[in-house]
Amino acid sequence: PHSVAIFIRMIMNLTIIISVLAVIYLLIRGKAESTIRPILGMTLCAITGASIASYFTLKTILGLLFILSFYDFVFVTKTKHIPKLVGMLDKHNVLLTMDIGPKRNMDESLEPEPTIEEEEEERQDTGITVKKVKVTGRRLGFGDLIFATGLSVATYVDKSALAAMIMVFFTTISLGGFLEYLQRTDNSKPQPAIPPIFLGG
């Protein structure tokens, strides 16, 4: 059994090394960048969230999210400091967000614009109304994913694996429902994502 455990550990380490080298190679060659970069970003979020959970308890993280919800609301919807910062970093190709729905261009403005634009074109010859629908995606900040991961890991540490799975379920439902609501109501203005994560938690 001991030799089997050593063999499995060697296979796991070798797999990790090969995966890292493959990712580095693809990034250097510029291949599959649009797919790999978000995966690397989410991996960094998971590591950072787990690190936060190693320093703070579940109750502390929930309290911190309660306070950050107010700051997130103000800086996103009122002063718009966060959307301006993301737009500035996008111009320098710094990845801080992941696309939700159709991919946005890096040069695309984060200023409010219709999420769904409908054009009705009347065809005189047939009398048929044709709708052209253009869907614009949203972006979810990696900071939001970090705190969502921190909640889940802290729940696992302080409670149990089952509690952590329940936490993942409710934060996903809360955040996903919020994004779905914005999509259905055609609300394209930048919105804070930490409050729904807090509510799910």
Side-chain angles (χ1 to χ4, degrees), residues 33-43 95 97-99 142:
E33 182 178 358
S34 60
T35 302
I36 294 175
R37 291 187 68 200
I39 293 176
L40 290 177
M42 288 187 288
T43 303
L95 185 67
T97 60
M98 65 178 294
D99 293 300
F142 283 145

Side-chain angles (χ1 to χ4, degrees), residues 101-146:
K103 181 177 174 58
R104 284 178 179 263
N105 295 324
M106 284 295 185
D107 297 331
E108 186 177 343
S109 173
L110 291 179
E111 290 301 314
E113 59 180 328
T115 303
I116 297 180
E117 297 175 352
E118 294 186 351
E119 288 183 17
E120 293 190 1
E121 180 182 344
E122 296 287 346
R123 296 201 174 174
Q124 303 297 333
D125 53 342
T126 60
I128 299 175
T129 300
V130 179
K131 288 187 176 181
K132 297 179 180 179
V133 181
K134 176 186 176 183
V135 181
T136 302
R138 305 189 68 87
R139 287 181 178 181
L140 181 65
F142 283 145
D144 305 318
L145 296 178
I146 287 174

Side-chain angles (χ1 to χ4, degrees), residues 32 40-41 44-45 55 60 75 86 105 125 136 143 149 161 182 199:
L40 290 177
L44 178 61
C45 290
Y55 286 99
T60 304
F75 291 149
V86 172
N105 295 324
D125 53 342
T136 302
T149 304
L182 295 178
L199 290 177

